[in-house]
Amino acid sequence: LNPLAAQAAAHQAAGTSGSNTAAATFQAAAQSAGTAADASKRAQQAKSGTMQVMEVPVMRPDGDVELRDAGTSFVVPPCEACGGVLKPDVVFFGDGIPRPRAERALHLAQQCDLLLVVGSSLMVYSAYRLAEAAHKAGADLIALNVGPTRADKLLSHKVEVVAGEALMKLATHHQLLLPKV
């Protein structure tokens, strides 16, 4: 559903010819739909009046979503031993990647035949450099992502798809299921 069709459907649903609020709201809802079929279904529901139009946050190509008041009541539990902040063993955006982990990832990227990028714009250099290293070593690069990536010029193939939907379809595809052991 393109933005002009979404805007027209919103105007029809609102019974107006220029309701900017209804158009913007419907366009955001249509864009947040996971697939074209979902967007089409929402458009039909809006036209028939069976869907309550609501404001939906905009999702950026890298998957970030702007949420109002998100986390305002969240409390991080303190460590019982020292009172410090508890953190899982992951690297958060803005944190540095531990050197041994970064070196191992780079080594693996330089040795692979294929690098599959799932749901990443590769805008952060620490991720992009892995794609670049794999490409320089002769690996094929495939991306499953919505929107542009920093490595678009390096990609062998790109599928414009919501990563979670694609992975769910792959995980449940009958020809890809592994036999029970």
Side-chain angles (χ1 to χ4, degrees):
L1 189 63
N2 67 45
L4 292 175
Q7 191 171 16
H11 289 312
Q12 276 187 328
T16 66
S17 60
S19 171
N20 290 338
T21 303
T25 302
F26 182 78
Q27 186 172 353
Q31 289 173 341
S32 73
T35 64
D38 292 337
S40 178
K41 182 179 175 183
R42 285 184 182 193
Q44 291 302 318
Q45 289 173 335
K47 285 180 187 178
S48 67
T50 60
M51 179 180 85
Q52 288 185 334
V53 179
M54 59 183 224
E55 186 175 337
V56 176
V58 175
M59 183 183 296
R60 295 189 189 104
D62 65 358
D64 284 350
V65 177
E66 292 259 345
L67 300 175
R68 286 191 212 140
D69 303 323
T72 56
S73 63
F74 182 77
V75 178
V76 177
C79 173
E80 292 178 6
C82 71
V85 176
L86 289 178
K87 266 177 72 172
D89 189 20
V90 297
V91 177
F92 287 106
F93 187 82
D95 287 352
I97 299 172
R99 183 171 297 279
R101 195 178 304 169
E103 289 172 356
R104 175 146 168 74
L106 183 59
H107 174 74
L108 291 171
Q110 292 168 335
Q111 302 302 312
C112 72
D113 296 322
L114 171 78
L115 182 70
L116 178 62
V117 177
V118 180
S120 175
S121 64
L122 299 174
M123 294 301 176
V124 176
Y125 184 71
S126 58
Y128 172 74
R129 75 184 188 109
L130 299 176
E132 189 176 48
H135 178 69
K136 283 181 182 175
D140 285 324
L141 273 65
I142 299 175
L144 306 178
N145 192 58
V146 176
T149 76
R150 186 176 187 175
D152 278 352
K153 66 185 182 304
L154 306 177
L155 298 175
S156 307
H157 302 284
K158 182 176 180 186
V159 181
E160 290 272 343
V161 63
V162 176
E165 290 180 9
L167 292 177
M168 181 59 75
K169 287 180 182 178
L170 285 172
T172 59
H173 192 280
H174 70 280
Q175 291 181 332
L176 299 177
L177 296 178
L178 298 174
K180 290 184 181 182
V181 179

